């Protein structure tokens, strides 16, 4: 135990004032973390300290810290002679925009934020609180990894955290903020949580670092190129939000919390309804009727949602599908939309994963799902087939089919083949499917379809090109429209694009008490 | 992907042509090549620990050709063909090899 000078004072009868003084001294000793030198080093790396981060994120005066006097449990390698203030992690509760949260922040200045037995106990204690209280959990990760001196106890600590992450999944929102290294086993706690935030030049996540890769494999790579913020936001899909500074990252977290509920028994808090800025986002100006022309689907979303405010999730990863939160008539909705601007909006391994997980988040937290459809199908390619586009693509079918929150789908242009089915079609139990008059709901595009159906006629014609063109036009006229699907009742209404908002708001309001009976089961087996 | 100055590509799917932006991953996708079973490659990067065969040896499926030290293990690299002859050995003991490097050619 750390030998405080003031412990040697006369023990007789300290007054309450003296006792308070004693407490203050103890707190001061603990609050200095790893000391001036370590704090200077933290700052020189462009990072804030653990407590600074919590204070910057939470409402002023709202943070209440617990377990400040926890001491580490290391007995071997002379660890028993060391004092590690708070054992390298700060935990507590507070509010963000008045919204209650449980929070922990690893303190890199104390033994590199390494995770020992008591460090993990502090984290699991605050996780248990979050579960009991039904409030979101925010974890700020900045740690060198397991505390080697504590051996298997630090592994036990990680395991206890992972189990709680899994139990809390779908019960309370879990947010991980990577503000430093997060390596080895430590990465799996963020991976099990709902939203991972990373910051340029600060976040580093990997299973094995550049050193090990170099010795084992002889490959050289920098930490940033291996597992920096951009890599996880763009390539791996491990991160949901990317920021350039810690403060920008905190602003993103605050914004996210406004869109989601405290727990799975609640709904997100409503906001005052706001009309979209239809002067700036005029559908006839941003939307080309020609199905081969690109446009930014986010502008269509902004033309429809409250205040034209769309909070995008995973903006950089698989940008051929767009996901995010917005509000309709003041209520939070989750949006999934094909992005014709990128890769024609196709579904592939990454975009299916991205959308499927988001759909499951929305379903778990009572957030209705709005789907905008404009896609030519699945991405062809050997790399896609071999990467398992079958099982990845199946995740999206599963997620939509399983979701019981209100599901509303708007088909804008192309809805071809398997892509039509996957994108929240009525067959996967979308509650309402609307189509714009520009919609083409068909088994495939007119060119491809005509080439197959009229192959013989085209081949045997005197002027094949002429006949081909004729047949394509014929097919386009007959099938490249929403009316065939409407005739069979596969869609509920063909609507004027400018009435989309009205239809969606009505559909949402009458779906408020939607209830669905699902077969009794322990859980399904999604194609993970 | 929201940069304005990116280059649009024409993307073809089911005979339809779409003007669109590519993703980084799409541009960096690997070209597929059929694996030649006669070329025995390293399935993991590592160090050649011991070579068990000589040029001209006859080997059958499952015979250990060499041991590759990687991930704290001596991993056995075995003959993938029912019956073959060692045509060429391209590495020697203690060589560091990368993943998919050709180690032995069979015939």
């Amino acid at each position: 135990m750390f030998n405080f000078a003031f412990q040697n004072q006369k023990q007789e009868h300290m007054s309450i004032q003296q006792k308070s003084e004693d407490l203050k001294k103890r707190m001061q000793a603990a609050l200095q973390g790893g000391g001036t030198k370590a704090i200077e080093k933290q700052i020189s790396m462009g990072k804030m300290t653990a407590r600074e981060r919590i204070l910057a994120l939470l409402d002023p005066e709202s943070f209440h810290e617990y377990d400040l006097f926890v001491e580490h449990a290391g007995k071997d390698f002379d660890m028993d002679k060391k004092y590690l203030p708070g054992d390298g992690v700060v935990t507590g509760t507070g509010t963000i925009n008045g919204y209650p949260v449980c929070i922990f922040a690893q303190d890199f200045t104390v033994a590199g934020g390494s995770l020992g037995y008591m460090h993990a106990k502090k984290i699991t204690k605050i996780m248990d609180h979050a579960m009991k209280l039904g409030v979101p959990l925010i974890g700020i990760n900045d740690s060198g990894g397991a505390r080697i001196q504590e051996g298997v106890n630090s592994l036990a600590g990680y395991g206890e955290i992972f189990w709680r992450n899994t139990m809390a999944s779908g019960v309370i929102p879990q947010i991980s903020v990577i503000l430093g290294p997060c390596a080895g086993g430590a990465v799996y706690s963020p991976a099990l949580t709902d939203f991972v935030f990373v910051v340029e030049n600060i976040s580093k996540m990997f299973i094995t670092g550049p050193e090990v890769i170099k010795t084992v494999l002889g490959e050289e790579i920098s930490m940033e190129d291996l597992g920096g913020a951009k890599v996880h936001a763009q390539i791996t899909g491990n991160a949901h939000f990317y920021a350039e500074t810690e403060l920008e990252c905190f602003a993103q977290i605050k914004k996210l919390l406004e869109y989601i509920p405290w727990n799975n028994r609640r709904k997100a808090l409503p906001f005052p309804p706001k009309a979209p800025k239809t002067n700036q986002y005029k559908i006839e100006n941003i939307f080309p009727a020609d199905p081969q022309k690109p446009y930014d689907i986010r502008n269509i979303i902004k033309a429809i949602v409250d205040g034209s405010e769309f909070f995008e999730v995973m903006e950089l990863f698989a940008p051929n599908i767009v996901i995010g939160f917005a509000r309709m008539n003041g209520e939070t909705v989750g949006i999934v939309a094909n992005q014709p601007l990128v890769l024609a909006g196709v579904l592939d391994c990454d975009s299916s994963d991205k959308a499927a997980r988001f759909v499951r988040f929305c379903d778990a937290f009572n957030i209705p799902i709005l789907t905008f459809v404009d896609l030519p199908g699945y991405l062809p390619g050997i790399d896609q087939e071999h990467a398992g586009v079958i099982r990845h693509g199946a995740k999206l079918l599963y997620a939509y089919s399983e979701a019981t929150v209100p599901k509303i789908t708007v088909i804008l242009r192309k809805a071809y083949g398997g892509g039509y089915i996957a994108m929240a079609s009525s067959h996967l139990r979308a509650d309402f499917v609307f189509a714009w008059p520009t919609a083409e709901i068909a088994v495939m595009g007119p060119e491809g379809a005509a080439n197959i159906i009229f192959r013989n006629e085209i081949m045997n014609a005197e002027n094949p090109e002429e006949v081909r063109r004729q047949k394509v036009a014929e097919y386009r006229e007959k099938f490249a429209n929403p009316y065939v699907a409407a005739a069979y009742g596969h869609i509920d209404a063909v609507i004027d694009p400018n009435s989309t908002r009205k239809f969606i708001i009505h559909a949402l309001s009458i779906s408020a008490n939607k209830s669905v009976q699902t077969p009794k089961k322990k859980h399904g087996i999604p194609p993970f | 992907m929201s940069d304005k100055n990116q280059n649009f590509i024409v993307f073809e799917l089911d005979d339809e042509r779409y003007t669109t932006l590519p993703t980084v991953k799409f541009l960096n996708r690997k070209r597929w090549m059929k694996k030649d079973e006669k070329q025995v490659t390293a399935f993991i990067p590592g160090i050649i620990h011991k070579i068990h065969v000589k040029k001209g040896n006859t080997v059958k499926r499952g015979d250990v050709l060499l041991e590759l030290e990687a991930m704290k293990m001596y991993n056995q690299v075995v003959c993938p063909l029912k019956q073959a002859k060692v045509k060429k050995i391209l590495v020697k003991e203690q060589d560091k090899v990368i993943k998919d490097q050709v180690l032995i050619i069979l015939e």
Side-chain angles (χ1 to χ4, degrees), chain A residues 287 295 297 300 372-374 410-414 436 438-439:
Chain A
F287 180 76
Y295 64 93
I297 189 71
I300 299 291
F372 293 101
V373 186
D374 188 350
V410 185
I411 302 173
L412 311 184
R413 279 192 326 192
K414 305 175 296 296
W436 286 5
T438 44

Side-chain angles (χ1 to χ4, degrees), chain B residues 30-45:
Chain B
K30 269 197 192 138
R31 285 212 88 82
W32 182 78
M33 293 223 301
K34 195 166 167 57
K35 192 165 164 38
D36 180 357
E37 288 229 306
K38 286 182 180 160
Q39 299 197 346
V40 180
T41 55
F43 61 90
I44 191 171

Side-chain angles (χ1 to χ4, degrees), chain A residues 38-321:
Chain A
I39 291 172
E40 270 170 21
K41 199 174 168 208
Q42 176 86 352
I43 292 164
S44 76
M45 287 189 280
K47 304 199 292 187
M48 293 164 80
T49 64
R51 278 188 191 80
E52 281 172 355
R53 285 166 172 168
I54 291 178
L55 296 178
L57 182 56
L58 299 189
D59 294 338
E61 311 290 322
S62 77
F63 180 55
H64 289 73
E65 183 170 349
Y66 313 119
D67 285 343
L68 178 63
F69 297 128
V70 157
E71 296 190 16
H72 75 84
K75 292 184 192 137
D76 305 312
F77 311 107
D78 283 340
M79 285 301 285
D80 47 340
K81 299 188 182 76
K82 273 197 179 147
Y83 169 61
L84 303 178
D87 204 13
V89 62
V90 181
T91 63
T93 53
T95 60
I96 292 179
N97 296 325
Y99 201 111
V101 294
C102 285
I103 190 165
F104 70 85
Q106 292 179 307
D107 185 349
F108 196 79
T109 67
V110 178
S114 60
L115 184 136
Y117 187 70
M118 291 309 292
H119 177 122
K121 274 234 149 174
K122 282 181 73 170
I123 294 177
T124 54
K125 192 171 165 186
I126 204 71
M127 292 174 85
D128 291 341
H129 273 313
M131 275 292 267
K132 268 184 299 189
L133 309 177
V135 303
L137 175 78
I138 300 174
I140 300 179
N141 293 258
D142 186 3
S143 163
R147 193 173 301 152
I148 312 293
Q149 293 88 336
E150 290 195 30
V152 74
N153 266 345
S154 63
L155 301 182
Y158 281 120
E160 292 290 332
I161 294 170
F162 301 161
W163 181 81
R164 280 170 179 79
N165 283 137
T166 308
M167 289 302 114
S169 178
V171 181
I172 51 168
Q174 298 183 85
I175 290 168
S176 295
V177 197
I178 315 299
L179 295 180
C182 179
V187 298
Y188 285 115
S189 173
L192 289 165
T193 62
D194 305 315
F195 297 104
V196 177
F197 290 74
V198 292
V199 177
E200 181 70 17
N201 291 325
I202 290 177
S203 313
K204 314 269 187 284
M205 279 180 103
F206 34 72
I207 298 286
T208 47
E211 284 296 315
V212 179
I213 290 180
K214 197 182 164 192
T215 27
V216 178
L217 314 178
E219 295 168 340
E220 278 193 56
I221 189 162
S222 71
M223 268 199 205
E224 202 62 31
D225 288 339
L226 179 66
K230 210 47 169 291
V231 171
H232 288 302
Q234 196 170 43
I235 310 290
T236 68
N238 286 329
H240 300 76
F241 293 95
Y242 165 88
E244 289 186 345
T245 65
E246 293 195 18
L247 290 177
E248 186 192 345
C249 168
F250 298 153
Q252 290 171 339
I253 297 170
K254 289 178 195 178
K255 187 127 191 224
L256 171 67
L257 285 175
E258 290 188 339
Y259 283 102
I260 60 178
W262 300 0
N263 58 52
N264 66 342
R265 298 179 302 280
R266 282 176 172 253
K267 290 198 77 170
L269 297 176
F271 273 63
K274 266 197 265 182
K277 298 172 186 157
T278 37
N279 282 336
Q280 195 180 339
Y281 300 101
K282 231 187 179 96
I283 291 175
E284 41 278 47
N285 295 349
I286 43 189
F287 180 76
D290 178 351
Q292 303 191 335
K293 288 226 172 87
Y295 64 93
D296 193 337
I297 189 71
R298 291 172 295 192
N299 290 333
I300 299 291
I301 295 169
K302 286 174 188 168
I304 292 167
V305 301
D306 279 17
S308 299
E309 287 161 16
F310 176 54
F311 185 54
E312 193 171 352
V313 178
M314 293 183 112
E315 187 181 343
L316 302 172
F317 179 71
N320 39 323
I321 205 155

Side-chain angles (χ1 to χ4, degrees), chain A residues 466-487:
Chain A
E466 168 91 37
V467 174
R468 204 185 69 83
R469 224 175 297 142
Q470 219 172 37
K471 292 294 177 190
V472 168
E474 216 173 279
Y475 185 93
R476 190 182 301 279
E477 170 73 24
K478 269 195 186 147
F479 298 100
N481 60 54
Y483 301 107
V484 181

